[in-house]
Amino acid sequence: MIYTKTGDKGETSLASGQRVSKTDVRIEAYGTVDELNSWVGALQSVITNDELRVENGKQLAVIQNKLFNLGAALSEAPGEWITETDVHTVEKWIDEIQAVVPPQRAFILPAGSEPVVRCHICRTICRRAERRMIEAKASEIALRYINRLSDYFFVLSRLICYQNGESESAWEKVQ
C-alpha cells in the first residue's frame, strides 16, 4: 500500500525510526536533495547532443543514484553512503569538462537553451541543499559532495553551450 497514514499529523520517520516533524531540518535537507534528483532527471530528458547524451547521461544516472544515497545518509540510515571516492569522481568529471571548454572570462547568467537552464536549476538547488545540510549538521564528506556537484552542473552548462555552439550569457553591470 502506498499510503500509511502515519504522516497525516505532520510527522514522519527517519531511517532510525525516530519520529520527527516534517519541518525538521533533516527532512528539509533530504527533501531538497530529492527535489534536486527530480531536476537531474528533467535535465537528462532534454540533453540532445549525442556525445553529451551518452557520456553525461551516464554521469547523471550515477549522480541520481548517489543523491538517493545522500538522502539515506541525511535520514540517518546506518552505513557509509557518500565516500571520498564519490567526491573525487565528480572532481574528475569537472576537470575533464574544464579541459574542453574555453576559459571563463566573465560571470555567466543562468540563461540559454533548455538544457543549459536546467543545469543552472540543478546548480542552485545544490546550493540550497548544501545550506539545508549545514543546518542539519550533515557530514563533512556529504557537504563536500554536494558542493562539488553544484560546480559540476555549472561546468556542464558551459559544456552544453560549447558543444552546441551556443553563446554563454555574460553578466553585464546595469546602471
Side-chain angles (χ1 to χ4, degrees):
M1 195 173 341
I2 190 71
Y3 56 89
T4 62
K5 300 182 184 180
T6 59
D8 289 353
K9 294 184 181 177
E11 288 190 342
T12 191
S13 293
L14 297 173
S16 65
Q18 178 188 0
R19 300 287 296 169
V20 296
S21 169
K22 289 185 177 183
T23 61
D24 186 275
V25 293
R26 292 166 292 190
I27 306 305
E28 191 63 37
Y30 74 68
T32 305
V33 169
D34 188 38
E35 179 185 356
L36 171 61
N37 207 340
S38 295
W39 275 103
V40 173
L43 168 61
Q44 191 168 15
S45 74
V46 296
I47 293 178
T48 55
N49 179 297
D50 287 339
E51 184 178 338
L52 284 172
R53 179 171 290 285
V54 172
E55 187 57 35
N56 294 104
K58 291 177 189 172
Q59 291 173 1
L60 294 175
V62 168
I63 288 167
Q64 285 195 291
N65 281 286
K66 292 297 178 180
L67 289 173
F68 260 91
N69 287 4
L70 183 55
L74 293 169
S75 71
E76 300 183 350
E80 186 178 39
W81 294 99
I82 299 293
T83 67
E84 194 69 41
T85 301
D86 298 328
V87 174
H88 289 305
T89 297
V90 176
E91 288 173 345
K92 177 179 148 291
W93 295 340
I94 291 168
D95 293 344
E96 290 170 354
I97 293 171
Q98 290 283 93
V100 172
V101 297
Q104 183 180 340
R105 306 219 182 273
F107 288 109
I108 307 298
L109 296 176
S113 65
E114 189 168 359
V116 170
V117 170
R118 287 187 188 201
C119 284
H120 285 290
I121 291 169
C122 289
R123 175 185 58 78
T124 59
I125 295 172
C126 274
R127 294 292 189 204
R128 179 163 30 98
E130 181 180 21
R131 293 188 301 272
R132 297 300 165 268
M133 289 167 59
I134 291 166
E135 288 177 327
K137 296 182 177 27
S139 71
E140 180 185 330
I141 194 71
L143 290 169
R144 287 198 351 253
Y145 181 77
I146 201 76
N147 192 9
R148 293 309 178 284
L149 211 51
S150 65
D151 294 334
Y152 170 83
F153 287 115
F154 178 74
V155 297
L156 182 59
S157 75
R158 298 197 67 230
L159 180 64
I160 292 170
C161 279
Y162 178 73
Q163 289 193 337
N164 289 340
E166 300 174 45
S167 295
E168 293 178 306
S169 299
W171 170 59
E172 298 175 16
K173 184 178 177 187
V174 178
Q175 299 296 329

